[in-house]
Amino acid sequence: MEYKTIRLRRGKEESLRRFHPWVFSGAIDSIDSGVEEGDTVRVVDADGNPLGVGHYQIGSIAVRMLTAGQEGIGEGFYNRRLEQAWQMRRAIGVVREGTDAFRLVHGEGDFLPGLIVDVYGPTAVMQAHSPGMHFARNEIARALVDLPGAGISNVYYKSETTLPYKAELDPQNDYIIGSYSGDVAMENGLKFHVDWLRGQKTGFFVDQRDNRSLLERYSAGRRVLNMFCYTGGFSVYALRGGAEHVTSVDSSAKAVSLTEANVELNFPGDSRHDAVAEDAFKFLSGITPGDYDLVVLDPPAFAKHRSAIRNALRGYQKLNARAMERMPQGSILFTFSCSQAITKEQFRLAVFSAAAQTGRRVRILHQLTQPADHPVNIYHPEGEYLKGLILYIE
Ligand code: SAH
């Protein structure tokens, strides 16, 4: 297939040669006439040597690279990339007895920039973050159900909020293939209702799976507070781990009822759980010091853009200080940031400031990140977004 060409300025090919998957608009020397948003283009260096093909987009990231060097994206390209992604998940044992909820495609980490696919049993939920992936959606959906052994029969496309608004693509959230066939997915033997139609992102945060398992290990006999509970993932693990009591809090009433439904699904009639719809800061101000000796803070991304970093760091400090000052001696705090714009050093500094402000003696037990089905391309450190600390508070 012939592609239109984007030529880079001299010296701007270095990062692509090192497999970084983005071309920034400032690196571009010229664009063939007629190139439109979402087109697949060939990128060449100043001397015309091929650097790979990618999806063109208007904005600061101008091309998201799909291949390197001479390679094009002919027939079967998405089948091959999805097959690689699936083989990797199988090789590392992410999909196993008791777990059928996992991330199959993590954008750049699976050499498919702009594409996210989460799988819940027979249903794949697909999100396009670039016009190029939006245009390829039907081909990708077909490749998903054709993936040998993966057992995917429904593909739900959910990109109404992820595509650039200005591109005016007007995507409709809907099934591209198949239809609704149940909403219960399994994670480490626990069951969860996943609401991809109305829920946030693809309906469930599979990225906290390993961290929820760690929480289970620390829960025995503890009074657990799960702040920002959403679907109640951490709460259900804490109950299985033998918590004395679990309180789940979320400002969204819908999240609170989803949490209650998920607790009921796994532990029918268990009186160790209650859930409250309230703002996190307000709830924390109202508790009595000593009420909870295991606290989870997993807020939404406080910094969605670089411009919001300073305020976000203040927010993390304030939130963590509020929790720390009310935790008894020997408590454990699981604290997270999923803001991609914030580095793990910045987050740690915000938590350090909270510790210093409250005068508590705090030690780091674990440093957490995203699980193996959210791989980070080593040449693209921007793909690392989830950061967490488990702290011992005295
Ligand atoms: N811990 C969850 C994911 C959390 S997502 C999991 O493991 O799946 C973030 C959640 O924070 C959302 O459900 C959102 O409704 C909630 N939220 C956002 N702002 C909030 C606030 N100020 N107080 C309490 N909850 C809030």
Side-chain angles (χ1 to χ4, degrees):
M1 182 174 163
E2 274 311 302
Y3 304 101
K4 295 212 180 241
T5 296
I6 288 188
R7 184 182 295 264
L8 301 189
R9 291 164 44 202
R10 192 162 297 283
K12 294 295 184 187
E13 71 285 355
E14 287 300 317
S15 62
L16 287 198
R17 288 242 158 81
R18 270 185 273 112
F19 305 106
H20 191 282
W22 295 342
V23 174
F24 290 99
S25 55
I28 294 176
D29 177 54
S30 64
I31 302 181
D32 275 359
S33 67
V35 170
E36 289 189 25
E37 183 148 52
D39 281 355
T40 302
V41 293
R42 184 173 295 285
V43 179
V44 301
D45 70 11
D47 298 318
N49 300 307
L51 297 166
V53 303
H55 286 146
Y56 174 69
Q57 181 167 345
I58 295 164
S60 115
I61 303 171
V63 188
R64 288 159 206 261
M65 301 301 293
L66 299 164
T67 69
Q70 303 271 6
E71 190 191 349
I73 62 158
E75 184 87 7
F77 170 77
Y78 289 104
N79 299 76
R80 289 192 298 278
R81 280 288 148 90
L82 292 176
E83 179 71 28
Q84 283 171 355
W86 169 238
Q87 287 308 338
M88 193 272 248
R89 270 71 181 171
R90 298 238 301 203
I92 61 174
V94 166
V95 189
R96 54 179 180 264
E97 180 81 35
T99 299
D100 65 7
F102 64 98
R103 177 153 293 190
L104 175 62
V105 177
H106 185 57
E108 286 81 359
D110 285 292
F111 314 111
L112 287 168
L115 182 67
I116 296 292
V117 180
D118 285 340
V119 175
Y120 303 112
T123 302
V125 182
M126 176 176 150
Q127 280 190 324
H129 290 257
S130 68
M133 286 299 178
H134 173 69
F135 293 137
R137 65 194 181 284
N138 292 317
E139 197 182 338
I140 297 168
R142 176 51 49 209
L144 282 167
V145 297
D146 286 347
L147 205 51
I152 296 168
S153 43
N154 315 306
V155 180
Y156 185 74
Y157 185 60
K158 189 176 185 188
S159 302
E160 279 177 11
T161 57
T162 58
L163 283 164
Y165 171 70
K166 286 196 189 125
E168 293 185 349
L169 299 166
D170 194 26
Q172 306 287 321
N173 289 351
D174 206 352
Y175 291 93
I176 295 184
I177 296 177
S179 57
Y180 178 84
S181 68
D183 73 344
V184 175
M186 296 271 286
E187 188 183 275
N188 291 317
L190 294 166
K191 291 177 259 172
F192 293 95
H193 291 289
V194 180
D195 186 355
W196 48 83
L197 297 184
R198 285 166 299 269
Q200 301 172 48
K201 305 275 174 88
T202 67
F204 192 68
F205 286 90
V206 282
D207 59 359
Q208 289 287 22
R209 181 197 315 109
D210 293 352
N211 304 328
R212 292 195 268 253
S213 283
L214 260 175
L215 182 85
E216 180 176 0
R217 269 171 46 191
Y218 284 110
S219 294
R222 292 203 178 251
R223 283 155 290 131
V224 179
L225 175 60
N226 179 14
M227 301 298 298
F228 310 94
C229 64
Y230 186 32
T231 57
F234 283 104
S235 307
V236 175
Y237 278 75
L239 290 168
R240 188 167 70 177
E244 186 183 305
H245 189 269
V246 180
T247 299
S248 307
V249 179
D250 200 290
S251 56
S252 145
K254 246 170 34 192
V256 166
S257 37
L258 197 53
T259 294
E260 282 169 337
N262 283 330
V263 167
E264 190 59 25
L265 187 63
N266 292 279
F267 304 101
D270 198 322
S271 60
R272 292 176 299 151
H273 180 256
D274 61 6
V276 184
E278 194 165 271
D279 172 73
F281 288 93
K282 190 150 171 262
F283 184 89
L284 283 172
S285 305
I287 63 176
T288 309
D291 281 352
Y292 300 100
D293 58 1
L294 206 182
V295 175
V296 180
L297 299 175
D298 184 24
F302 282 174
K304 295 228 160 63
H305 299 286
R306 294 186 148 269
S307 58
I309 290 178
R310 268 166 63 103
N311 277 340
L313 290 172
R314 247 181 260 130
Y316 288 118
Q317 178 181 341
K318 191 171 146 202
L319 177 68
N320 281 276
R322 265 292 150 95
M324 282 179 194
E325 66 198 11
R326 286 166 176 78
M327 295 173 70
Q329 292 277 334
S331 296
I332 295 175
L333 175 61
F334 279 58
T335 183
F336 296 96
S337 163
C338 60
S339 304
Q340 196 247 306
I342 287 181
T343 66
K344 57 174 177 278
E345 290 76 19
Q346 287 172 318
F347 177 60
R348 186 158 153 177
L349 190 59
V351 177
F352 159 86
S353 304
Q357 181 190 334
T358 52
R360 301 303 295 265
R361 195 161 76 167
V362 174
R363 283 180 280 171
I364 299 172
L365 304 181
H366 297 265
Q367 305 190 43
L368 308 175
T369 183
Q370 62 217 52
D373 52 346
H374 296 58
V376 181
N377 176 347
I378 203 161
Y379 306 105
H380 179 256
E382 297 93 329
E384 189 176 339
Y385 69 99
L386 185 61
K387 301 154 282 285
L389 295 168
I390 305 183
L391 305 174
Y392 194 72
I393 314 245
E394 288 166 288

